[in-house]
Amino acid sequence: MPEVPEVPARPVSAGTEAARTVARSTDARAATRAATAEPLGLPRAVVVGGGIGGLTAAVALRLRGWQVTVLERSRSLTPVGAGISLAPNALRALDVIGMGDEIRGLAAWQGDGGMRTPQGRWVSRTSASALAERFGGPLVVVHRAELVARLVARLPEGTVRTAAEARLADPGDTARPALVAGADGGLEAELVVGADGIHSGVRQVLFPAHPGPVYSGFTTWRIVSPAPRQAFDAHETWGRGRIWGTQPLKDGRIYAYGAALAPAGQRAADDERQELLRRFGDWHHPIPALIAAADPAHVLRHDVHHIAEPLPAFHRGRTVLLGDAAHAMPPTLGQGGNQAIEDAIVLAHHARPDAVDLAAYSAVRAPRTAAIARKAVQVARIDMMTSRAGIAVRNAGLAALSKAGPALLLRGFDGIADWRPPQPPYASVEAAPAIRPAGPEPVTGAGT
């Protein structure tokens, strides 16, 4: 595909923004555009949020023919997080932007795994090969910083602006572009992507009556530690109101996470590594060793929230939501980041530079993500069970499924991990997308 010249979203001065807010006349808008130095006639997109979903959208939209600016409020793109599990569905989505095989090459889990009790007894077993056979690809666990760096490397320098506060001032409609306001004025764009996380300001502007996220009832910790000397199989361990998971990374380190029922906002009086030792220090190998080896300053703790009431749509006007901003879910299926990546690819599919169909994006993504979010909430209730009788029944059921074969255990991911994107990789498209004429392009479903 021929390179499209990089043109940033057009800035709007603070004075122009104030005048436009009062009148929003066609003449004033034409004068604003005439004052800018950038050439006319190119589709412009602003992505609010530089996380994995926002960056994937930026890469995909650029390949689609858009000029993209990413606004990230943090001072750097160093992600808050440790590891992320990329299932076959997300890897197939990354195939569309030419990154799937690159990330598959980072797969570290090659052997057996399963679910254990805190004492170390295996309740169920599965394997990397069984998962790959059923869903057409591996499960790849990577450090978030690694994935972010690889996405940023596919964007031209200057695309991502850090320390950039952004507020959706106007979602736009069929007659006018959207407007994102910031400390230095504002940016007009034919498409605004709200990828600003669970407490999304873009979502609050689009749907002010929506109640927003609710506390899921548990908190999580994440660490990355050196591998212990004694070998172990990848596992998730379920206790009473607590779980622990351990996965290898390609670089030889170990990504691990814990979760426990806790009041919202509660924090350790000393440090979070000590809190992990109190909660998990007597569990089986390698859990205590991994906690002991973790740097206390790098133990991450976050309360889990999710969007319990689905949004009426994922768009309004020329503005669209993706990832946690649209459908935050508990991490119990490992699908939060995966669904954000799917969102980004499907959005680009419905965002032709000459006709953006955000209603179609909403229609496809809202039902799928709502179903996965509901399932994640249900699994959280099972994970965090506290009744001894209930735990005994749960474990017996999992053990029976495991004995019947790995396929039965993996069946819970049918319809999730086997998802396929709606288009082939952009590299296979023979002709570049047409550049739209000057002025706002049509937006199907704007305002719905």
Side-chain angles (χ1 to χ4, degrees):
M1 179 181 298
E3 276 293 305
V4 180
E6 182 63 18
V7 180
R10 298 185 181 84
V12 181
S13 69
T16 302
E17 179 190 342
R20 198 169 62 105
T21 302
V22 175
R24 301 197 66 89
S25 68
T26 302
D27 291 341
R29 189 176 295 278
T32 296
R33 291 189 171 184
T36 63
E38 294 86 352
L40 298 175
L42 296 171
R44 299 143 299 178
V46 171
V47 179
V48 181
I52 289 169
L55 292 172
T56 305
V59 174
L61 287 169
R62 179 169 169 75
L63 289 172
R64 194 72 157 124
W66 291 81
Q67 307 304 319
V68 183
T69 299
V70 179
L71 303 178
E72 169 54 45
R73 64 183 177 184
S74 300
R75 293 189 176 275
S76 76
L77 283 180
T78 303
V80 177
I84 179 172
S85 298
L86 297 175
N89 52 308
L91 295 170
R92 279 189 285 268
L94 292 174
D95 282 334
V96 176
I97 58 173
M99 284 186 65
D101 287 341
E102 177 183 341
I103 301 303
R104 288 185 187 94
L106 300 176
W109 180 39
Q110 303 293 340
D112 292 336
M115 199 271 276
R116 306 178 74 172
T117 68
Q119 295 73 36
R121 179 175 63 86
W122 288 99
V123 175
S124 63
R125 299 300 298 259
T126 187
S127 67
S129 59
L131 184 145
E133 181 179 354
R134 187 173 186 87
F135 299 117
L139 176 73
V140 181
V141 181
V142 300
H143 199 289
R144 286 176 181 266
E146 177 83 17
L147 182 56
V148 165
R150 289 171 182 262
L151 287 165
V152 171
R154 290 175 176 261
L155 294 169
E157 185 176 354
T159 299
V160 181
R161 304 181 188 179
T162 56
E165 292 291 337
R167 176 179 59 83
L168 181 65
D170 182 354
D173 63 17
T174 56
R176 65 184 191 276
L179 175 66
V180 177
D184 298 327
L187 297 174
E188 284 185 340
E190 278 71 44
L191 176 65
V192 171
V193 181
D196 50 340
I198 189 167
H199 300 295
S200 168
V202 175
R203 183 184 66 235
Q204 292 172 16
V205 173
L206 296 186
F207 305 107
H210 188 271
V214 300
Y215 184 50
S216 304
F218 60 98
T219 191
T220 61
W221 297 264
R222 287 165 289 170
I223 63 173
V224 175
S225 293
R229 292 183 179 180
Q230 183 180 343
F232 67 92
D233 288 336
H235 62 89
E236 193 163 88
T237 300
W238 294 3
R240 292 185 64 198
R242 291 175 289 170
I243 65 170
W244 183 273
T246 306
Q247 290 281 351
L249 296 172
K250 185 71 170 181
D251 63 10
R253 294 180 298 168
I254 303 299
Y255 165 55
Y257 55 89
L261 297 175
Q266 186 181 78
R267 293 296 180 267
D270 39 15
D271 65 62
E272 295 302 334
R273 186 179 70 172
Q274 292 302 315
E275 183 67 13
L276 286 176
L277 287 170
R278 284 189 287 269
R279 291 178 180 267
F280 302 98
D282 60 349
W283 286 25
H284 65 80
H285 174 79
I287 297 172
L290 293 173
I291 297 171
D295 182 346
H298 294 156
V299 177
L300 304 175
R301 180 173 179 175
H302 296 94
D303 290 344
V304 176
H305 294 78
H306 67 279
I307 294 180
E309 180 180 320
L311 294 170
F314 286 176
H315 76 288
R316 180 179 150 212
R318 295 177 177 273
T319 303
V320 66
L321 300 170
L322 64 73
D324 283 352
H327 48 69
M329 61 188 70
T332 47
L333 291 174
Q335 279 290 312
N338 289 254
Q339 291 305 304
I341 292 170
E342 282 189 21
D343 287 345
I345 298 305
V346 175
L347 171 61
H349 176 69
H350 291 290
R352 291 204 337 258
D354 59 342
V356 181
D357 194 348
L358 299 185
Y361 165 79
S362 279
V364 171
R365 296 304 299 163
R368 173 169 170 78
T369 55
I372 294 173
R374 284 194 301 270
K375 189 166 188 174
V377 171
Q378 294 166 357
V379 171
R381 295 193 184 106
I382 297 172
D383 284 358
M384 295 297 170
M385 194 175 290
T386 57
S387 163
R388 292 187 184 276
I391 290 171
V393 172
R394 177 195 70 190
N395 290 358
L398 288 171
L401 286 174
S402 180
K403 290 178 180 178
L408 291 177
L409 279 175
L410 296 171
R411 190 171 56 186
F413 285 91
D414 288 355
I416 300 176
D418 51 5
W419 176 89
R420 295 183 180 277
Q423 77 274 2
Y426 287 123
S428 70
V429 179
E430 296 181 359
I435 300 298
R436 65 163 180 82
E441 77 279 17
V443 178
T444 303
T448 60

